[in-house]
Amino acid sequence: MAVDISIVNISGKENTREEEALYDYMLPNFKNYFEQHDEIGGQIIFYVNNLIFAGPTKDVDILMVAELDNCYVDVPNHDRVRVERLCTTIEAKSHGITGAFSQGQNIFVKYPKESPHNATKQCKHEMDLLSSFFKRVGISSWVTSLIWLYGMNEDELANMAPEAHNAIAVDSNFDRIVELICNQCSVLPMGGFLNCSKNNSSFMQDIARVFSGVKQGKSLNTIKTLNLFSKEKGESIF
């Protein structure tokens, strides 16, 4: 079996920092992981630089969606988890250990001549934004969120943020990502499986259709685009 991993740039801009970081760090990391776990099959897509003009933030750096077969991960405090479908926003930050700090479970990043930014809060806003948008276009999906601090490694991240959080480092593997997603579940379903979607048969296709429309020049924030998508699904949302 094999896992097909791809990156789709939504913005139309070439070589954005988020896209380059994915190619330089996360893509090789994931490929190495799934080569070592060749019993797993399926697909993972990273949608990069997603613009959605609504709410307190207008963009989602990275959206990771996955549909996997025969994927089992041993997760602390959750035992063995079967991973089926994931839908996770990723706020990408290039900051190293000197450019970030934590206060409790919140992670802050520093910028020149600006007050520190609460990356945890920003990450939650992006998750809520995408959840709201999916509801408007009729996609049934539970969305989780991660902060990706690709300027530091796991040891540095552990020292910088000793309390519970939803951040990964440049060398965090797929097991760690699944652990942090599981930690965002109040209760895992019976049997311990992760499945973010009720529309099992069309989850990946529905998301691909929405973002393929964006690449063709449509804007995610327009009622026209939302209505076009809802009509294709035979639903009315306005």
Side-chain angles (χ1 to χ4, degrees), residues 138-172:
I139 294 178
S140 175
S141 180
W142 164 56
V143 182
T144 51
S145 64
L146 297 169
I147 303 167
W148 183 28
L149 297 167
Y150 60 89
M152 64 180 77
N153 60 38
E154 278 276 6
D155 289 339
E156 292 172 327
L157 176 57
N159 290 328
M160 185 272 290
E163 296 190 30
H165 54 73
N166 67 331
I168 56 174
V170 68
D171 55 344
S172 298

Side-chain angles (χ1 to χ4, degrees), residues 183-236:
N183 290 343
Q184 296 175 44
C185 309
S186 55
V187 178
L188 280 178
M190 291 296 293
F193 63 90
L194 281 177
N195 186 343
C196 69
S197 175
K198 296 178 181 178
N199 297 336
N200 293 345
S201 62
S202 62
F203 166 63
M204 298 289 279
Q205 295 91 328
D206 284 349
I207 292 178
R209 285 165 66 203
V210 170
F211 288 114
S212 66
V214 179
K215 288 185 70 63
Q216 294 166 14
K218 301 175 185 176
S219 172
L220 284 181
N221 68 314
T222 65
I223 292 178
K224 180 179 179 182
T225 300
L226 295 172
N227 277 331
L228 283 173
F229 184 73
S230 62
K231 286 179 181 177
E232 289 176 6
K233 294 177 65 62
E235 301 169 357
S236 177

Side-chain angles (χ1 to χ4, degrees), residues 73-92:
V73 176
D74 292 318
V75 178
N77 302 318
H78 294 283
D79 298 322
R80 194 163 177 78
V81 174
R82 184 171 84 243
V83 183
E84 296 182 345
R85 292 171 184 82
L86 301 175
C87 184
T88 302
T89 64
I90 302 175
E91 173 60 25

Side-chain angles (χ1 to χ4, degrees), residues 100-132:
F101 65 94
S102 66
Q103 290 182 354
Q105 296 183 1
N106 288 288
I107 292 176
F108 293 80
V109 292
K110 304 173 185 176
Y111 292 97
K113 300 180 181 180
E114 294 184 26
S115 299
H117 290 201
N118 188 329
T120 302
K121 185 176 181 180
Q122 180 181 3
C123 188
K124 184 180 184 305
H125 284 161
E126 293 177 4
M127 178 183 69
D128 292 343
L129 172 67
L130 194 67
S131 295
S132 176

